Amino acid sequence: MRERDGTPPGHPDERTAVLMLHGRSVPVLAGLDLDFKSYSWADALAKAGYDVFMMDLQGSGLSPRPKMDDPRNVNPAQQHLLKPRPPGFTPGPPNYPFQLTNSNSDRDELNTVVEWIIRERGVKKVAFIGWSAAAFTMGPYAVKNPGKVSSLFLLAPIFPPEGTSNAPDPLPQPGFPMFLSTKDGTWNGWGSEVHCEGQREEEMRDKVWEAIMKSDPVGSTWGPVGEGRNRIRNFVRWGWNKNTAAQGGVLGGSVPVLIAYGEYDRQVNTSSEDPEFNFSVPALYDAIAGDHKLMVKLDCAGHSVVWEMQHKNVHNLSKHWLKHLKVDGKTQGIFNMNTNGDISPAP
């Protein structure tokens, strides 16, 4: 966990704690606290007076990564990416033939951090900001713990409306602990969602990858010298669907919700025949039962909007949300945001 405390000196009674959580493949510091130009979302919030915390779940970033130091525990279909081979490595079945973590362990870790913040910082609740797959952890946690969560801002949330509610049996689930990603694969995959002039800077190819490698002291030594591989934990998820989002009227009720996503984001809106991978952001908005819910579609933005031209507007949107819990003066509705940061009701 990392902190950027922007609370004005001598004003602990005005402290507002914000907890930021990463998605599936990018550690929190590279994604939400990128030390390059104005891209650090956490820094922008701290400068606005918020006490900002960022956490990596087990298996991500600088948190412990059990079983992930062993290259044999890489997805067997990706072991060819380990060239040159790490010392002592021979391709083959995983030595730990299970997925690494699951929804219960992730939510338990989140709860540990939330309770620490509440205790150590003397706040009653914590505001959540999550990117991408963070929704799998923060959404259900807020439903079950509304007394600890003041609001929920989900950027590009992954949401399977018909996803399973029940834990699989047995746990841990068979499989392998981790996937790998490459520098070229990360950049080129991101490029499939770039459709506007100036949507991303060419420099970001190196800056993003360098930040990811800085958070991965082992993966950074794998693969081609000077490039490395991004180790991505493999986790089992359940309990985040249209029934969870509506449960008790908590989301949009005692926990106000703001959803934002890019118009070119193809990771959050899919058409898979498998309900576990059929994702929809509008379905999440519709599923939330309470009235205090807002959704903003960002022009000229993809899933990696935190590193794109719209990043400053996302920062400003979140600052306004944390202060007012409104968008365009309203507590409910669907809006569009252009690249100037102007907001208008969706047609």
Side-chain angles (χ1 to χ4, degrees):
M1 183 174 63
R2 178 170 177 167
E3 179 186 10
R4 285 184 178 268
D5 188 355
T7 303
H11 296 273
D13 56 317
E14 299 177 8
R15 187 185 300 274
T16 298
V18 179
L19 178 58
M20 309 184 83
L21 184 63
H22 59 87
R24 172 181 173 269
S25 61
V26 178
V28 71
L29 298 185
L32 305 178
D33 195 18
L34 183 68
D35 186 18
F36 179 63
K37 294 185 177 179
S38 59
Y39 286 96
S40 173
W41 191 354
D43 184 55
L45 292 178
K47 288 177 177 176
Y50 296 100
D51 193 5
V52 184
F53 297 86
M54 297 152 275
M55 68 173 290
D56 276 311
L57 292 166
Q58 182 177 209
S60 180
L62 298 177
S63 286
R65 300 200 194 200
K67 308 298 183 182
M68 293 176 67
D69 289 355
D70 182 353
R72 274 285 289 270
N73 287 332
V74 168
N75 177 0
Q78 294 186 310
Q79 290 183 11
H80 68 279
L81 297 174
L82 295 171
K83 293 180 181 178
R85 291 182 182 178
F89 167 63
T90 301
N95 289 322
Y96 181 77
F98 302 99
Q99 298 185 52
L100 186 66
T101 60
N102 61 60
S103 289
N104 282 344
S105 63
D106 285 352
R107 293 167 200 162
D108 286 347
E109 290 175 24
L110 179 64
N111 184 63
T112 298
V113 172
V114 168
E115 291 194 338
W116 185 91
I117 293 171
I118 290 173
R119 181 178 66 252
E120 295 297 323
R121 284 295 176 257
V123 295
K124 295 180 180 179
K125 296 183 178 183
V126 178
F128 280 1
I129 293 179
W131 178 28
S132 187
F136 284 117
T137 305
M138 285 185 152
Y141 181 88
V143 170
K144 295 292 186 181
N145 299 275
K148 301 177 185 179
V149 182
S150 59
S151 64
L152 182 60
F153 183 121
L154 295 177
L155 178 66
I158 306 294
F159 179 73
E162 302 296 336
T164 183
S165 294
N166 302 315
D169 185 29
L171 286 174
Q173 277 281 285
F176 47 85
M178 60 180 155
F179 300 92
L180 294 178
S181 69
T182 67
K183 183 177 182 178
D184 285 343
T186 299
W187 181 252
N188 295 336
W190 176 9
S192 68
E193 296 181 345
V194 174
H195 300 283
C196 297
E197 183 178 355
Q199 187 174 332
R200 67 177 180 181
E201 297 183 76
E202 190 67 26
E203 286 178 280
M204 299 304 282
R205 183 179 191 275
D206 292 331
K207 295 298 181 181
V208 167
W209 191 254
E210 288 169 4
I212 292 173
M213 290 296 94
K214 190 175 180 180
S215 289
D216 194 340
V218 173
S220 61
T221 67
W222 290 354
V225 176
E227 181 175 320
R229 297 289 183 248
N230 180 21
R231 297 178 298 162
I232 303 169
R233 70 193 185 108
N234 190 11
F235 63 97
V236 186
R237 54 171 173 81
W238 65 86
W240 180 232
N241 51 44
K242 63 182 182 181
N243 295 323
T244 310
Q247 189 174 331
V250 173
L251 297 186
S254 58
V255 180
V257 179
L258 172 58
I259 302 164
Y261 71 103
E263 68 167 320
Y264 297 126
D265 190 336
R266 299 296 175 260
Q267 298 187 47
V268 297
N269 293 305
T270 62
S271 56
S272 173
E273 294 183 1
D274 184 345
E276 297 300 328
F277 295 95
N278 188 34
F279 306 139
S280 172
V281 176
L284 173 57
Y285 179 83
D286 291 341
I288 293 171
D291 292 331
H292 198 155
K293 60 178 183 177
L294 297 131
M295 184 167 67
V296 179
K297 183 168 71 173
L298 309 165
D299 289 353
C300 286
H303 196 68
S304 298
V305 60
V306 293
W307 303 317
E308 296 179 352
M309 69 159 73
Q310 281 274 42
H311 72 277
K312 286 186 181 179
N313 291 331
V314 170
H315 299 173
N316 290 334
L317 178 65
S318 66
K319 287 185 283 188
H320 186 85
W321 167 253
L322 290 170
K323 184 175 182 179
H324 302 288
L325 295 179
K326 295 179 180 180
V327 170
D328 197 30
K330 300 178 177 61
T331 58
Q332 185 179 25
I334 301 173
F335 301 86
N336 291 333
M337 175 183 282
N338 65 23
T339 56
N340 292 322
D342 301 321
I343 293 174
S344 59

